[in-house]
Amino acid sequence: MRFDDSLKTVLSADMESGFGAQSAWRQLTDLMGRGRIAADAASLDRLRGLRPAVPLAIRAASARALAFARPPAALIGFFAEDSIEVAAPLLRTAQLADTDWLALLPRLDAHGRALLRHRRDLPGAVERGLASFGPADFVLRYDAPAAANDLAEPTPPADIAPVPHLHPVAPPPPEPNAEGGFQIADLVARIDAFQKQRDPNEPIAAAASEPPSYFHFDTDHLGIIRAVDGVARGALIGASLAVGMPQGEVRVDAVITGALRQRQRFAGARLDVGGHSDAAGAWRVAGTPQFDAESGRFTGYVAIARRPRADEEASLTPRKMVSDSLRQLVHELRTPTNAIAGFAELIEAQLLGPVAPVYREHAVTIRQQAASLLGAIEDLDTAARIEGKALELRPGPVVLEPLLERIAQDLAPLAALRGTALDIHPMGDHAALSDDRALERLLSRLLAALTAAAVAGERIDIAEAPAPDGQVAICFARPLALSADGEEALLSLDGEAAGPTDAEGAPLLGTGFALRLARNLAVELGGELVFGEDLLTLRLPAAVDETVAQATH
């Protein structure tokens, strides 16, 4: 009944408006991808009807959220019908039976099959199936001109005597061979004739084209880029993912270098390419480590790079200017706030002389509110450092359960005020490879937002979640007050909005700001914060990569 109820709830919502269609899309794909409803023809037809109203960025985000959830083959086939930005996350991670792969291959375009050719974990039958599409994907087609003498000399009028040998006449169009195709010599002769006939002062018009929005690359076991597909490769070939300093035109994010040392998957990392080729600019990169099936040795990364979205960092200089201005403002706010808190403490402790009880109570209130304001100022400073690429991280092993217990203890007064509780399930000694201060800020802001949104009698469950190799994951139950909102709606909540954000004890800068800060911090730490229908899932690099450990023993 829960499955049917979930589907009925989604279908009963508004699907006509833009936001309603996006919300229904997210919920339907999540339900199908996690096996809560069947990915049958009727459900897929509903998604096809919603697709025109859902922006490309939303569709791509849905695909990334299902990348490691083992969605059914029918849903993968549906996403494969979309553009490569949407299909790529699932095609790079899907685990299907041989028969499902072979049924899917004809439905893919050349881009989708090219992406699969970069995988090193596909069964032999699937690789042979991909090889059979070689003549269709790699052929160089030639379309013969409509007229046989398109490039021939035009016939002059009868009253003008032609000047012999003024221009060479193009050879006749090439004739196809009996075996198919054309002689290379014929094509070269026609090109040569065209070059001789063309006015040398006339520029050749370049076909207008959009700059590439993504490209793929592979590395060897040392992290050196060996193959690039989709952009000019000159600046990228030979660059190393192990070097954080500029390498010619290429600069690699520290998130990538850290992931390479641990042989871990990475996503949302930055890659900057200089120069004037179509590869120049800022990119966001996701990579998956590859291991030899027999020996378990690390063989390199397969990765995809995409242009940043509008809400991400696409240009360094403007962002840095905004970040520097915000950090200056934060400094100017922090100094007087610290002074106010300090004077309140002096009054509360009567260090300046006897103080009436009523004024001491006012001093306590001032100190508490100043502490809350200082916390908000620190959050603004963290956000500014993220924007300006100035967040200093020192990754190390951080055991998750004691950290969560400590944060829950700090939030106990807020939980008592809201009549709720944080229920932390045992997680053993599982640890994340992360900066301890940044991770503590992430979890404290996330849990404070969830606690403030809870209602009396509601418990917020926190438990370990399944995660890909090389990662650890924690899932958080969404309070009822936040369960009806999709990711975009949650991230857009602010302190002025009605609802859970104006409740007593809510984050000073709003629930949306707290969730955005937690999401951005997760990306900076090499992980991600996934907004599911009932849960929020935080994925982080694991302190011990079990795959590498098995390979070394």
Side-chain angles (χ1 to χ4, degrees):
M1 286 303 295
R2 181 183 178 188
F3 297 172
D4 294 339
D5 289 347
S6 298
L7 180 59
K8 289 178 181 178
T9 301
V10 175
L11 297 181
S12 64
D14 170 34
M15 295 189 186
E16 300 298 327
S17 64
F19 179 77
Q22 295 174 28
S23 178
W25 170 277
R26 287 180 178 278
Q27 295 176 17
L28 284 174
T29 55
D30 187 72
L31 288 172
M32 275 187 269
R34 304 182 190 283
R36 297 186 59 182
I37 62 173
D40 52 19
S43 299
L44 295 176
D45 286 341
R46 291 191 186 95
L47 288 177
R48 288 189 181 92
L50 292 171
R51 184 157 51 193
V54 180
L56 176 66
I58 301 297
R59 304 200 304 272
S62 299
R64 291 194 300 271
L66 296 176
F68 293 98
R70 294 187 177 272
L75 186 59
I76 294 175
F78 168 78
F79 275 98
E81 300 170 1
D82 213 322
S83 63
I84 191 64
E85 292 92 334
V86 178
L90 290 176
L91 292 180
R92 281 197 171 276
T93 59
Q95 301 293 329
L96 302 177
D98 292 7
T99 54
D100 291 333
W101 275 123
L102 296 176
L104 178 62
L105 292 181
R107 300 173 59 186
L108 301 178
D109 59 11
H111 294 292
R113 289 191 289 268
L115 191 148
L116 289 180
R117 288 187 179 97
H118 285 281
R119 292 187 56 168
R120 302 293 183 265
D121 59 342
L122 294 177
V126 181
E127 292 182 349
R128 291 190 294 272
L130 283 170
S132 69
F133 285 92
D137 293 343
F138 302 129
V139 68
L140 296 175
R141 293 180 173 81
Y142 173 78
D143 297 324
N149 57 350
D150 283 346
L151 298 178
E153 183 84 13
T155 304
D159 58 342
I160 299 177
V163 179
H165 308 296
L166 182 61
H167 296 293
V169 177
E175 296 293 334
N177 297 327
E179 296 83 2
F182 300 92
Q183 291 290 343
I184 296 297
D186 294 339
L187 297 178
V188 173
R190 289 180 64 79
I191 294 171
D192 184 59
F194 171 75
Q195 295 289 354
K196 291 178 180 179
Q197 288 177 290
R198 185 178 66 85
D199 183 355
N201 296 322
E202 178 185 357
I204 298 178
S209 61
E210 292 291 329
S213 59
Y214 69 93
F215 69 89
H216 303 96
F217 66 88
D218 294 352
T219 77
D220 61 12
H221 68 287
L222 298 176
I224 299 174
I225 299 176
R226 297 300 189 188
V228 178
D229 181 27
V231 295
R233 62 193 67 186
L236 292 160
I237 293 293
S240 175
L241 303 187
V243 179
M245 298 189 310
Q247 307 169 63
E249 301 287 359
V250 179
R251 180 160 191 150
V252 178
D253 195 329
V255 172
I256 300 179
T257 60
L260 174 63
R261 287 194 297 269
Q262 299 294 324
R263 308 296 192 251
Q264 293 176 340
R265 175 180 173 272
F266 59 85
R270 299 181 181 90
L271 176 68
D272 298 307
V273 183
H276 302 285
S277 70
D278 59 358
W283 301 87
R284 286 297 177 96
V285 188
T288 303
Q290 303 296 301
F291 299 89
D292 184 83
E294 295 183 0
S295 65
R297 284 188 173 184
F298 172 68
T299 59
Y301 278 94
V302 294
I304 182 171
R306 60 172 175 81
R307 297 286 186 187
R309 300 188 302 270
D311 62 327
E312 293 178 323
E313 187 167 336
S315 176
L316 297 181
T317 304
R319 291 282 188 177
K320 189 175 188 305
M321 293 173 61
V322 173
S323 170
D324 290 344
S325 299
L326 183 56
R327 292 179 64 186
Q328 180 63 30
L329 175 62
V330 164
H331 175 73
E332 293 175 358
L333 289 173
R334 184 188 287 117
T335 301
T337 305
N338 275 323
I340 292 171
F343 279 118
E345 280 192 63
L346 292 176
I347 296 172
E348 180 187 359
Q350 302 185 81
L351 296 179
L352 300 177
V355 179
V358 63
Y359 293 112
R360 292 177 60 190
E361 292 177 4
H362 289 324
V364 171
T365 302
I366 293 172
R367 179 178 56 79
Q368 292 173 345
Q369 293 185 354
S372 177
L373 181 57
L374 281 171
I377 291 172
E378 293 299 328
D379 288 347
L380 285 173
D381 186 45
T382 301
R385 290 176 183 274
I386 292 174
E387 289 290 326
K389 287 188 175 180
L391 188 65
E392 298 180 0
L393 299 176
R394 296 179 176 82
V398 180
V399 183
L400 296 174
E401 188 173 348
L403 177 59
L404 288 167
E405 293 283 0
R406 186 167 67 251
I407 294 172
Q409 196 171 34
D410 293 339
L411 293 174
L414 175 61
L417 177 67
R418 303 296 300 154
T420 185
L422 299 173
D423 191 358
I424 301 174
H425 295 252
M427 300 181 188
D429 58 354
H430 285 213
L433 182 67
S434 180
D435 182 275
D436 54 351
R437 294 176 300 173
L439 181 55
E440 182 173 3
R441 181 169 294 275
L442 186 163
L443 291 173
S444 64
R445 295 307 180 262
L446 179 60
L447 290 177
L450 297 179
T451 303
V455 298
E458 189 175 9
R459 300 182 68 85
I460 299 174
D461 288 313
I462 306 168
E464 186 181 2
D469 291 339
Q471 288 190 327
V472 291
I474 313 170
C475 60
F476 306 86
R478 289 173 59 163
L480 293 177
L482 302 179
S483 61
D485 295 322
E487 178 179 352
E488 287 190 352
L490 286 178
L491 296 178
S492 64
L493 290 173
D494 55 43
E496 302 297 327
T501 57
D502 60 4
E504 189 175 2
L508 188 60
L509 296 175
T511 300
F513 181 89
L515 295 177
R516 289 196 303 273
L517 180 65
R519 180 197 60 178
N520 295 341
L521 275 173
V523 172
E524 292 295 317
L525 294 173
E528 59 182 342
L529 181 62
V530 180
F531 292 76
E533 180 185 2
D534 301 313
L535 301 172
L536 299 180
T537 303
L538 175 64
R539 295 173 183 159
L540 296 167
V544 177
D545 190 343
E546 296 180 0
T547 307
V548 175
Q550 292 173 2
T552 56
H553 289 293

